[in-house]
């Protein structure tokens, strides 16, 4: 019996192939976009982790000797004195023409290496003794294994996924032999747990320099925010795809009501039917999900090189631009497909299960259920209000997401009603008979199109919202870089004296030397970094003031005023005209506030003489050098040679800036690709709805044709109708998208990361998006319109044929 | 002559010829009943006369215009301005009100006359129903709107395909009376397809279609 029922149910899809294709494509698109974003995020996160796992280089402070390697004796003295440090030896090894980085770490002092941990998890735990005793072990990535396996004279190789692709990690003893640098130490890592009373560095090892963990640009929070929003985008794309599934499943169920009624009359229980339909849906979900995974895999593969390039720029870490197929990724994708399918068809299934054997309503009921009645709109308003209320009452990240979800779902529900009201207005003001017909007919078609239009609304809102977010984010980042990295070169001298020498040497050859001097003060609001600056055009021209009073720079330089960063301003609610008590004795008027992203601490800027007065003896070892950009590289090298400075003491920030900017150009490629894809999904939803409506469409068009319009005119009107509905939806999507952007920037970001990005508007992008939307709507309507254009009159005449 | 069929042949793709050799003429102001068995090609003839479809061979002339000489837009213009149609299914535009439906064709043809429409509505007994949508009208009311729509444009030729086929007896009688009266008043010619001998008897002429020819 079950088999017969299955055959009967499946026969529907045989006669409705387009519907089946629509359903599968909808599912595949939803799953594909979602899993592509997931894959990209996962791969990017893994790369961040690998970068960070670079043996704690990024996570812990280090001790460096600006003059070169650290003598072994120093290391021993530090350890004896109680300093918990681990020795690191770095070097390069050439294997078959390829340069590999070798990192030797004192595994006794610092054995908790993530790389080692990962091998342990993989089931073949290495014996710690093997690592330490000759010949030792080399840890490396799967990528390098074939290269190294062919070499003789190397210790056995262990594979770890937690390492950057070009790195060999080993014990420092093994590294000494490999690199032929016996007894040498490149630098020391300061371990997190230090005893309470250890002698200060200045007494025990004055020549060593403590390098803080994150001396490079701290982009972790920015990128986290980026990924969070990318995830939100993926989820939205998924939701848009589900609208297609919802629409097609609803229609298919409605069309099968007759058959189901017959089956029940023949003695099949509703229970069995529901189970069978659920099994059928699961099958479809799995097929669609697998298609989606394939799609997502290729999509991620296509986008990932850009992401990889971004990461390379961001961290200087080579990341494999290839995506690896992970079982949990595939499983979660399939789970999403299944869950999404049932979410999208739950309502239809429920209604089907409650259908009495003898009931007439079929398609009609389905259409009216999707209609833009004010009840649905009211539910939408309730969803929006509920979201806002949740945020107001509870606050926090989850409530923030509830608010965003409520806003999106609610607006989608309100859309058909809103559109219908707008169309009534147009209809009232329409003059000609055709215009009147077009408007009234659009309104009549709304129920059948509303799901697709909701999908379009969400896609557009996501586009505008995420686009605004990303663009604001990029502007912010640019501003931040410009503020941080105005000078072409940054030099760090070993001592104040060397700093003076460097300044004297550079003075005749460069445009300006900007000393970077700061002290950390204990302020009532928390730590406050006080910077001193000299009077230079650079600041007057470039410093990103977001709020300032008159003659701001003159007042700073004559010592009567101070600049503070935005964090401090917002936290303490201090703005130009207020005063800042830098110390108990020094209170200055605030002349301006500047933006400063990426760090949570307060900063203030005074003139150099004020700094020397307030905090005498601030180090004078760092400089920003203004020089013609094309001279920067040569000068950097000359400087290193002249003063025998290590590489890291002279940093060419212009290159760094360009690289960092590239990161965002690349991530932009990713978002805009996703943007277009989501829009494509919505366009597809419109196409499927129009095709679904096609059969009901002819009886409405034929009379107009008979009354004297050509098929070409009617086809044009069909195109126009679709484009107008899309345009109206786009107009409504704009405020929603901006609300979404606002929520992402000022609620989600604040809740998730503690700071707020300013929102910038990009009207040009909206115009571009509107163009794209109209294009998508035109393309979607082109197929039905072309059908109409080529329709033989005989087919139109059937509408008038006398048999009902 | 207002309308002539000259040795018209017509067949549908993949089917036997429906009209083999049909010749017929209709004068201005004349009313003609077209009868025949189901499937004999009555609707086909009417649709050809309405420039909704094109002949395989032969010629149809309407008001001096040879229809085969017209392109698609030309035929559409002809439908708008020279003739009006009434169908068995009424075929009103569901998204427009009765009043909007009534004036629709005239406005499309660019000859809308509000007084005339009001007069028509009044004569057809529709004055109180003009704000209703077709789905809220009875069959007889819908057909009266359709007749009003057809006459509002003051056509030279009215083509009606079993206009009372979907109506009960009383409604049929009303609709037919109104239609004939309006045709007589405006001087339009009428080509009416019907199964009913009674109805056919009320018209000036009557032709019977059988075997693809006028008997
Ligand atoms: N659009 C069409 N495509 C193919 N064949 C058609 C089409 N319309 C009509 N026919 C065929 O042409 C023949 C004549 O049809 P037509 O509708 O003109 O008959 P009719 O006389 O109006 O019949 P009825 O009294 O049932 O309305 C029939 O055999 C019909 O099957
Ligand atoms: Mg017929």
């Amino acid at each position: 019996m079950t088999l017969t029922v299955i055959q009967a149910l499946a026969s529907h899809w045989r006669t409705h192939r387009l519907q089946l294709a629509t359903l599968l494509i909808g599912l595949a698109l939803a799953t594909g976009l979602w899993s592509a974003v997931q894959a990209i995020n996962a791969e990017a996160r893994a790369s961040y982790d690998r970068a960070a796992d670079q043996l704690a280089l990024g996570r812990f402070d280090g001790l460096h000797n600006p003059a070169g390697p650290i003598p072994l004796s120093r290391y021993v003295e530090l350890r004896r004195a109680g300093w918990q440090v681990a020795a690191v030896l770095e070097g390069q090894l050439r294997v078959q023409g390829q340069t590999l980085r070798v990192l030797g770490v004192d595994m006794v002092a610092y054995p908790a290496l993530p790389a080692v941990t990962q091998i342990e998890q993989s089931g073949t735990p290495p014996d710690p003794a093997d690592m330490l005793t000759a010949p030792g072990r080399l840890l490396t990535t799967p990528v390098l294994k074939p290269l190294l396996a062919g070499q003789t004279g190397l210790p056995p190789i262990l594979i770890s996924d937690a390492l950057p692709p070009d790195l060999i990690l080993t014990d420092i003893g093994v590294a000494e032999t490999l690199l032929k640098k016996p007894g040498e130490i490149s630098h020391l890592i300061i371990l997190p747990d230090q005893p309470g009373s250890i002698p200060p560095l200045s007494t025990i090892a004055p020549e060593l320099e403590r390098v803080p963990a994150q001396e490079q640009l701290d982009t972790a929070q920015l990128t986290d925010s980026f990924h969070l929003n990318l995830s939100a985008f993926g989820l939205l794309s998924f939701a848009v795809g589900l609208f297609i599934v919802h629409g097609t499943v609803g229609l298919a169920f409605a069309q099968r009501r007759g058959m189901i009624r017959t089956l029940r009359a023949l003695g099949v229980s509703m229970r069995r039917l529901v189970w069978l339909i659920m099994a059928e849906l699961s099958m479809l979900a799995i097929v669609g999900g697998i298609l989606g995974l394939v799609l997502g895999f290729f999509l991620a593969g296509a986008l990932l090189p850009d992401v990889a390039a971004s990461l390379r720029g961001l961290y200087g870490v080579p990341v494999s631009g290839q995506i690896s197929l992970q079982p949990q990724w595939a499983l979660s994708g399939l789970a999403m497909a299944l869950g999404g399918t049932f979410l999208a068809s739950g309502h239809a299934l429920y209604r089907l299960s409650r259908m009495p054997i003898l009931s007439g309503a079929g398609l009609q009921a389905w259409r009216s259920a999707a209609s833009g009645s004010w009840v649905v709109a009211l539910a939408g308003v309730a969803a929006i209000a509920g979201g806002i209320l949740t945020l107001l009452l509870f606050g926090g990240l989850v409530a923030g997401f509830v608010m965003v979800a409520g806003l999106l779902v609610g607006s989608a529900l309100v859309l058909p009603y809103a559109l219908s009201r707008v169309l009534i207005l147009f209809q009232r003001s329409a003059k000609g008979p055709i215009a009147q017909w077009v408007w009234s007919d659009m309104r009549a078609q709304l129920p059948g199109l509303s799901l697709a239009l909701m999908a379009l609304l969400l896609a557009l809102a996501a586009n505008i919202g995420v686009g605004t977010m990303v663009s604001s984010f990029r502007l912010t980042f640019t501003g931040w870089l410009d503020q941080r990295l105005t000078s072409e070169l940054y030099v760090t001298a070993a001592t104040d004296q060397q700093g003076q020498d460097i300044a004297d040497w550079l003075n005749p050859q460069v445009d300006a030397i900007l000393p970077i001097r700061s002290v950390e003060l204990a302020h009532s609001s928390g730590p406050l970094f006080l910077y001193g600056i000299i009077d230079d055009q650079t600041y007057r021209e470039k410093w990103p003031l977001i709020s300032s009073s008159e003659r701001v720079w003159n007042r700073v330089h004559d010592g009567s005023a101070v600049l503070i960063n935005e964090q401090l301003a917002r936290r303490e609610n201090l703005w130009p005209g207020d005063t800042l008590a830098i110390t108990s004795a020094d209170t200055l008027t605030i002349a301006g506030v500047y933006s400063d992203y990426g760090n949570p601490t307060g900063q203030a800027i005074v003139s150099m003489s004020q700094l020397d007065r307030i905090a005498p003896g601030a180090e004078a070892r760092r400089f920003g050098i203004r020089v013609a950009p094309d001279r920067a590289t040569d000068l950097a090298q000359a400087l290193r040679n002249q003063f025998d400075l290590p590489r890291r003491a002279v940093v060419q920030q212009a290159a760094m800036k360009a690289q960092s900017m590239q990161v965002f150009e690349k991530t932009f490629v990713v978002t805009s690709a996703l943007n277009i894809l989501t829009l494509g999904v919505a366009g597809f939803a419109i196409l499927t709805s129009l095709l679904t409506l096609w059969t009901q469409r002819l009886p409405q068009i034929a009379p107009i044709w008979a009354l004297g319009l050509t098929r070409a005119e009617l086809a044009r009107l069909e195109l126009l109708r679709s484009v107008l509905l899309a345009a109206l939806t786009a107009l409504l999507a704009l405020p929603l998208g901006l609300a979404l952007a606002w929520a992402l920037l000022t609620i989600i970001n604040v809740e998730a990361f503690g700071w707020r990005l300013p929102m910038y508007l990009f009207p040009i992008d909206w115009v571009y998006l509107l163009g794209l939307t109209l294009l998508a709507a035109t393309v979607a309507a082109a197929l039905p319109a072309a059908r109409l254009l080529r329709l033989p009159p005989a087919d139109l005449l059937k509408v008038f044929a006398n048999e009902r | 002559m207002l309308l002539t069929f000259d040795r018209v042949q017509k067949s549908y793709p993949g089917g036997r010829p429906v009209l083999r050799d049909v010749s017929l003429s209709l004068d201005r102001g004349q009313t003609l009943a077209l009868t025949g068995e189901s499937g004999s090609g009555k609707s086909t003839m009417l649709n050809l006369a309405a420039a909704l479809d094109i002949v395989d061979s032969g010629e149809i002339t309407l008001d001096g215009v040879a229809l085969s000489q017209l392109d698609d837009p030309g035929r559409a213009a002809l439908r708008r301005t020279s003739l009006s149609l009434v169908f068995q299914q009424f075929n009103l535009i569901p998204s427009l009100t009765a009043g909007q439906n009534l004036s629709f064709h005239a406005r499309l043809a660019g000859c809308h006359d509000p007084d005339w429409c009001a007069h028509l509505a009044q004569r057809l007994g529709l004055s109180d129903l003009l704000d209703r949508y077709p789905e809220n009208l009875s069959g007889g009311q819908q057909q009266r709107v359709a007749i009003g729509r057809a006459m509002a444009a003051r056509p030279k030729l009215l083509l009606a395909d079993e206009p009372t086929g979907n109506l009960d007896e009383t409604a049929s009688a009303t609709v037919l009376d109104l239609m004939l009266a309006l045709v007589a008043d405006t001087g339009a010619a009428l080509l009416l397809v019907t199964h009913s001998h009674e109805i056919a008897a009320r018209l000036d002429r009557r032709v019977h279609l059988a075997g693809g020819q006028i008997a």
Side-chain angles (χ1 to χ4, degrees):
Chain A
M1 172 157 118
T2 302
L3 198 68
T4 325
V5 176
I6 291 177
Q7 273 172 350
L9 286 175
S11 70
H12 173 82
W13 299 117
R14 237 195 340 272
T15 47
H16 295 84
R17 296 216 180 126
L18 182 70
Q19 207 174 56
L20 180 65
T22 306
L23 184 57
L24 289 180
I25 293 175
L27 262 172
L29 285 174
T31 320
L33 283 175
W34 164 255
S35 26
V37 169
Q38 287 315 106
I40 290 172
N41 268 351
E43 201 67 20
R45 288 246 165 71
S47 301
Y48 294 150
D49 288 347
R50 262 176 265 172
D53 277 352
Q54 250 186 46
L55 314 175
L57 285 184
R59 273 186 296 178
F60 300 125
D61 289 4
L63 288 180
H64 291 253
N65 182 0
I70 298 175
L72 193 60
S73 54
R74 262 286 177 267
Y75 172 55
V76 176
E77 280 163 26
L78 278 165
R79 298 277 305 187
R80 284 219 185 99
W83 278 78
Q84 295 297 305
V85 289
V88 175
L89 173 60
E90 260 183 307
Q92 292 183 342
L93 188 66
R94 283 189 74 79
V95 177
Q96 292 178 359
Q98 206 175 325
T99 307
L100 308 176
R101 284 189 301 147
V102 175
L103 199 59
V105 181
D106 181 350
M107 298 239 182
V108 183
Y110 185 43
L113 290 169
V116 181
T117 321
Q118 233 212 345
I119 294 182
E120 284 172 352
Q121 283 164 351
S122 74
T124 51
D127 186 343
D130 286 349
M131 300 287 297
L132 298 175
T133 54
R137 296 286 185 270
L138 298 184
L139 272 95
T140 185
T141 54
V143 184
L144 289 185
K145 187 179 178 179
L147 188 68
L148 296 177
Q151 292 301 111
T152 47
L154 288 182
I157 291 159
L158 295 174
I159 301 299
S160 167
D161 279 328
L163 293 173
D166 70 336
L167 187 80
I168 299 172
L169 170 67
T170 185
D171 182 66
I172 190 162
V174 182
E176 284 177 358
T177 342
L178 269 184
L179 298 170
K180 303 192 181 65
K181 290 178 174 175
E184 207 170 279
I185 296 172
S186 309
H187 61 266
L188 299 171
I189 295 172
I190 304 179
L191 298 177
D193 301 315
Q194 297 293 333
S197 56
I198 44 173
L201 200 61
S202 48
T203 61
I204 185 164
E207 84 283 7
L208 294 189
E209 178 190 342
R210 184 168 181 150
V211 180
Q214 294 290 350
E215 184 151 85
Q216 29 173 194
L217 303 176
D218 182 7
T219 48
Q221 286 196 328
L222 283 166
T223 44
D224 262 1
S225 153
F226 178 77
H227 283 299
L228 179 78
N229 290 305
L230 207 60
S231 286
F233 203 178
L235 201 59
L236 269 172
S237 308
F238 186 72
V240 168
L242 286 194
F243 270 93
I244 301 179
V245 177
H246 181 84
T248 24
V249 168
L251 179 63
F253 279 21
Q255 286 171 342
R256 285 205 296 199
R257 277 173 167 246
M259 176 204 291
I260 284 166
R261 209 171 287 131
T262 313
L263 286 173
R264 286 186 63 193
L266 292 177
V268 185
S269 73
M270 193 69 228
R271 213 192 160 86
R272 182 191 291 255
L273 275 172
V274 167
W275 277 114
L276 284 175
I277 290 174
M278 278 173 67
E280 178 194 37
L281 282 176
S282 310
M283 277 276 303
L284 290 170
I286 288 171
V287 173
I290 289 174
L291 290 176
L293 285 179
V294 174
L295 179 75
F297 187 71
F298 282 110
L299 200 60
L303 295 177
L304 197 69
D306 285 326
V307 176
S310 316
L311 293 169
R312 223 170 286 141
L314 196 55
Y315 290 100
V317 176
V319 172
S320 58
Q322 273 168 359
I323 195 135
S324 46
L325 187 58
Q326 281 161 2
Q328 64 266 45
W329 177 75
L331 281 179
S332 74
L334 281 184
M336 279 303 270
L338 268 171
T341 306
F342 281 106
L343 192 71
S345 16
H347 183 229
L349 201 61
Y350 171 78
R351 284 190 17 178
L352 195 69
S353 70
R354 301 295 299 268
M355 178 183 74
I357 293 193
L358 303 169
S359 93
L363 279 176
Q364 222 44 50
W366 172 72
R367 278 190 56 188
S368 67
S371 80
S373 77
W374 59 272
V375 181
V376 176
L378 218 59
V381 173
I384 298 175
I388 294 175
L389 213 64
T390 309
L391 184 71
L392 290 180
L393 285 182
F394 302 104
L397 186 60
V398 175
F401 275 116
V402 170
M403 200 285 268
V404 168
L407 184 67
L408 289 173
V409 172
S411 307
L413 291 178
V414 172
L415 177 75
Y417 183 74
L419 279 180
S420 145
R421 300 309 303 180
V422 172
L423 290 177
I424 288 179
L425 283 184
F426 278 120
Q427 192 186 346
R428 291 225 177 105
S429 59
K431 288 280 173 325
I434 294 178
Q436 202 171 49
W437 171 65
V438 167
W439 293 119
S440 72
D441 178 66
M442 265 162 76
R443 203 156 73 83
Q445 294 298 303
L446 263 185
L449 282 173
S450 57
L451 276 172
L453 292 175
M454 287 180 190
L456 181 66
L457 179 81
L458 290 189
L460 287 174
N463 263 283
I464 296 171
V466 178
T468 305
M469 191 275 299
V470 175
S471 302
S472 300
F473 182 38
R474 183 171 73 155
L475 264 192
T476 302
F477 191 72
T478 318
W480 181 58
L481 281 181
D482 278 343
Q483 178 214 337
R484 278 294 173 88
L485 310 173
T486 33
S487 299
E488 282 70 25
L489 286 179
Y490 286 87
V491 182
T492 307
T495 59
D496 284 7
Q497 182 52 51
Q498 190 185 36
Q500 190 56 51
D501 295 344
I502 291 175
D504 291 343
W505 184 79
L506 279 174
N507 210 11
Q509 339 183 20
V510 300
D511 300 339
I513 299 174
L514 311 175
I516 301 171
R517 300 177 57 203
S518 66
V519 288
E520 185 180 344
L521 299 173
H523 188 254
S524 57
S525 66
L528 174 71
F529 286 85
L530 185 67
Y531 280 79
I533 55 167
I534 59 165
D535 190 358
D536 189 87
Q537 270 319 104
T538 306
Y539 297 113
R540 290 175 184 261
E541 282 163 12
K542 296 229 173 167
W543 207 250
L545 292 175
I546 56 172
S547 170
S548 61
S549 51
E550 247 173 70
R551 303 192 315 117
V552 45
W553 290 107
N554 290 344
R555 287 169 57 208
V556 169
H557 291 304
D558 71 21
S560 65
V562 61
L563 301 174
I564 61 172
N565 69 354
E566 189 188 349
Q567 283 85 322
L568 185 60
R570 289 200 191 282
R571 200 165 53 216
E572 300 291 302
N573 196 19
L574 292 173
W575 299 97
D578 297 337
T579 55
L580 176 73
I582 300 171
T583 66
S584 50
D586 303 279
T587 297
L588 290 179
T589 309
I590 295 166
V593 176
Y594 57 94
S595 61
D596 176 29
Y597 303 100
N599 89 74
T601 49
Q603 267 184 21
I605 292 177
V606 291
S607 69
M608 203 58 92
S609 49
Q610 279 286 15
L611 179 71
D612 281 328
R613 201 181 53 75
I614 295 169
E619 282 187 338
R621 298 192 296 132
R622 298 185 60 207
F623 305 92
I625 315 271
R626 298 307 311 269
V627 61
D630 53 352
R631 282 190 54 215
T633 311
D634 291 342
L635 189 63
Q637 202 47 52
L639 203 56
R640 287 191 198 104
N641 294 342
Q642 180 73 26
F643 294 93
D644 197 20
L645 293 171
R647 256 200 104 69
R648 56 178 301 130
V650 186
V651 185
Q652 222 172 309
Q653 297 284 38
M656 218 164 137
K657 188 151 99 184
Q659 255 181 346
S660 303
M661 278 323 295
Q662 233 185 0
V663 170
F664 284 88
E665 300 309 329
K666 294 290 188 186
T667 43
F668 242 43
V669 173
V670 178
T671 25
S672 49
L674 283 174
N675 268 339
I676 291 176
L677 282 170
T678 321
L679 210 56
V681 176
F684 184 74
I686 296 181
L687 172 67
T688 57
S689 309
L690 289 176
L691 289 179
T692 308
L693 289 176
W694 175 248
T695 44
Q696 305 158 34
R697 191 74 194 131
L698 277 192
Q700 282 146 10
I701 293 178
I704 311 285
W705 171 72
L707 290 179
L709 256 66
T710 60
R711 279 164 298 167
E713 285 168 326
L714 286 169
R716 271 200 296 277
L717 287 177
E718 290 295 287
L719 274 186
L720 182 72
R721 187 171 64 114
S722 162
V723 169
L724 277 175
L725 279 177
L728 282 177
T729 306
L731 284 186
L732 296 175
L734 181 61
L736 179 62
L738 293 180
L740 177 65
W742 180 83
L744 285 174
L745 289 172
T746 62
I747 297 173
I748 302 289
N749 249 317
V750 171
E751 294 297 345
F753 309 105
W755 44 270
R756 172 180 174 153
L757 285 166
M759 179 161 155
Y760 298 97
L761 300 182
F762 302 87
I764 299 294
D765 289 1
W766 306 340
V767 175
Y768 171 73
L769 190 63
L770 181 70
L772 221 56
T773 309
L774 300 187
L775 186 73
T778 311
V779 170
L783 187 60
R787 258 198 198 179
L788 180 61
L789 202 57
R790 288 200 311 266
L791 197 69
D795 284 356
L796 281 161
L797 287 173
K798 279 183 192 153
V799 172
F800 308 116
N802 290 345
E803 63 272 9
R804 265 230 136 136
Chain B
M1 281 300 141
L2 178 66
L3 173 74
T4 57
F5 275 63
D6 184 16
R7 280 171 294 151
V8 167
Q9 299 195 1
K10 174 73 184 175
S11 57
Y12 290 104
R16 293 188 300 129
V18 179
L19 304 181
R20 281 177 213 269
D21 184 21
V22 170
S23 296
L24 179 80
S25 53
L26 181 66
D27 248 338
R28 287 172 201 280
Q30 202 177 37
T31 59
L32 182 142
L34 182 61
T35 54
E37 283 181 7
S38 184
S40 58
K42 305 182 297 292
S43 299
T44 304
M45 248 185 96
L46 190 105
N47 292 338
L48 289 172
L52 290 170
D53 209 348
I54 41 182
V55 298
D56 293 344
S57 72
E59 183 63 271
I60 296 172
T61 319
L62 176 61
D63 205 13
V65 179
L67 297 194
S68 66
Q69 302 302 309
L70 296 175
D71 55 1
D72 204 34
R75 286 196 296 275
L78 190 83
R79 289 199 297 273
R80 269 201 309 274
T81 52
S82 300
L83 57 91
S84 287
L85 284 155
V86 176
F87 297 103
Q88 182 177 348
Q89 320 279 356
F90 327 132
N91 293 106
L92 298 179
I93 297 162
S95 56
L96 297 181
T97 61
Q100 289 167 336
N101 264 289
L102 191 95
S103 60
F104 191 80
H105 191 170
R107 295 167 69 198
L108 215 51
C111 62
H112 178 45
D113 174 354
D115 294 339
W116 173 234
C117 281
H119 172 72
L120 280 174
Q122 192 250 319
R123 278 199 54 185
L124 292 164
L126 295 171
S127 302
D128 296 336
L129 307 175
L130 292 180
D131 288 333
R132 293 210 197 163
Y133 283 91
E135 60 186 13
N136 299 325
L137 294 175
S138 74
Q141 291 167 338
Q142 287 193 50
Q143 195 61 307
R144 280 185 272 152
V145 175
I147 290 168
R149 178 174 73 184
M151 298 314 294
R154 297 182 193 274
K156 297 181 188 113
L157 174 65
L158 177 64
L159 299 164
D161 195 344
E162 302 194 39
T164 57
N166 264 3
L167 304 177
D168 63 33
E169 256 172 69
T170 4
S172 291
T174 326
V175 162
L176 193 72
D177 289 346
L178 285 168
M179 187 161 73
L180 291 179
L182 282 172
V183 165
D185 284 4
T186 56
L190 171 68
L191 175 61
L192 181 135
V193 170
T194 182
H195 277 117
S196 154
H197 297 281
E198 260 170 68
I199 294 175
R202 295 183 60 182
L203 271 60
D204 301 342
R205 276 172 63 199
R206 162 180 185 172
V207 292
H208 189 76
L209 194 60
Q213 284 170 316
I214 302 284

